[in-house]
Amino acid sequence: MEPRDVAAGLAEGVESFDRLFSALWSPIGAATVKAARLRPGVHVLDACCDSGASAIPAAEQVSPHGVVDAVDLAESSLERGRAKATIRGVSNVRFMHGDVLDWPAPTGGYDAVVCSLGISSFPDVAAGTERLLRLVRPGGRLTVTIWSQGALGPLPELIHRAVVPERPRPADVPWLVNPLQPMGTQRLFRDWLAARSLSFIDVQYVPLAVPGDPDLLWSLVSGTRCRGLLDGLPVAAVERVRRRFTAGLLAEGRETIDFSVLVGTGTLRRVAPPRSPRSARSLLAVGRPIGPVPRIG
């Protein structure tokens, strides 16, 4: 889930990030793999695999002869993924350091490419997704998971308000945005995937709520791309940010936070450049942020 320029910053936050593994990343990874309908024996790429929330269940699904190449920029996340695979006795997943936007396809292409909450971190989401499709063999499947419309609730605003007092210049506190918000419904996501020249498209809504526990949700701040907002702050300043975030979250009075996702799958049916279905024409450029800003998910 990491873009090219954030791997170093994420390394320090991996321990906090993994606190959410059971509550958030694992169920999303499992839902992604279930939707992918991977067959035993196939060769799979898990793009932006992080610490294995989708790569490990994918490897279990394609065993005993299938293989999963799990690729990510954060070596510390890969190390945790290897440890989790060892604990679960999964030997057919290969956690490898690399940038999926430059990753080479095997001869003939992958049978399936899975990307769980990763495409929103691409500098250009549409172009990055096309790059993933070039790794898929004709007739192979792409499975992509994104946040659903309305997911994450008040968290971006709460994080922003908590950080602003520690950053004297507004430009130092970029707004946390979800570049895929405009396609966060099943219909719009289906149209966007159709514009990538995929066929047999299926988009599933996966509801997920996480307890509104300030300690648990702070690990989302300190252990994901949001950590970039804390970089360079003294320890005391980070603690003040945490207190403001906690107070804001408690003031919201929410027992749970919505982390629902959409999982879209489609079959690659083209060799020619992608066409633009009439219903999807306005969505072709969705996900191209104005600048490199931190993003949740």
Side-chain angles (χ1 to χ4, degrees):
M1 303 179 183
E2 296 75 21
R4 298 164 178 259
D5 57 348
V6 299
L10 281 178
E12 295 180 6
V14 168
E15 183 173 356
S16 296
F17 183 85
D18 265 6
R19 292 191 59 205
L20 278 175
F21 192 86
S22 296
L24 182 59
W25 312 125
S26 183
I28 291 176
T32 300
V33 171
K34 181 179 180 181
R37 300 192 302 275
L38 304 173
R39 301 186 308 277
V42 300
H43 192 184
V44 180
L45 171 67
D46 188 323
C48 310
C49 67
D50 203 74
S51 60
S54 51
I56 293 174
E60 292 173 331
Q61 191 162 322
V62 304
S63 67
H65 302 300
V67 175
V68 174
D69 292 338
V71 178
D72 201 280
L73 280 169
E75 183 58 47
S76 51
S77 294
L78 296 170
E79 290 174 0
R80 287 177 177 270
R82 295 180 190 112
K84 290 172 184 174
T86 298
I87 291 171
R88 289 175 61 162
V90 177
S91 59
N92 60 325
V93 56
R94 304 181 292 203
F95 286 94
M96 296 181 285
H97 182 268
D99 186 339
V100 295
L101 298 182
D102 294 325
W103 194 254
T107 302
Y110 285 99
D111 298 301
V113 171
V114 171
C115 189
S116 179
L117 297 177
I119 66 169
S120 65
S121 67
F122 294 160
D124 182 321
V125 176
T129 304
E130 287 292 335
R131 179 68 184 87
L132 293 184
L133 280 169
R134 288 199 290 273
L135 302 176
V136 183
R137 67 167 175 78
R141 299 277 289 177
L142 175 70
T143 301
V144 175
T145 301
I146 66 172
W147 297 117
S148 68
Q149 200 168 77
L152 309 177
L155 293 183
E157 183 177 355
L158 291 177
I159 296 166
H160 190 268
R161 292 206 310 251
V163 173
V164 164
E166 308 299 334
R167 301 289 192 186
R169 297 180 303 175
D172 292 336
V173 191
W175 190 259
L176 296 168
V177 297
N178 175 9
L180 305 186
Q181 184 74 7
M183 61 185 202
T185 69
Q186 286 177 280
R187 180 181 65 81
L188 293 176
F189 191 28
R190 179 186 298 275
D191 288 345
W192 193 84
L193 291 171
R196 315 270 81 77
S197 291
L198 292 165
S199 60
F200 304 105
I201 296 170
D202 179 50
V203 176
Q204 300 178 18
Y205 170 74
V206 181
L208 181 61
V210 170
D213 173 17
D215 290 336
L216 184 67
L217 293 174
W218 175 252
S219 67
L220 185 72
V221 179
S222 61
T224 67
R225 280 178 291 280
C226 295
R227 184 176 178 81
L229 296 177
L230 307 178
D231 286 348
L233 293 179
V235 174
V238 173
E239 184 55 33
R240 289 193 296 270
V241 173
R242 179 170 184 163
R243 288 199 298 268
R244 293 188 199 101
F245 172 76
T246 298
L249 187 60
L250 292 175
E252 288 282 330
R254 301 196 184 196
E255 294 186 1
T256 61
I257 299 294
D258 180 15
F259 283 95
S260 302
V261 297
L262 299 177
V263 185
T265 63
T267 299
L268 181 64
R269 57 174 169 77
R270 63 161 167 95
V271 175
R275 64 183 180 85
S276 304
R278 185 172 303 171
S279 61
R281 203 174 291 275
S282 63
L283 294 173
L284 280 170
V286 166
R288 295 177 182 174
I290 295 174
V293 295
R295 297 183 290 274
I296 295 181

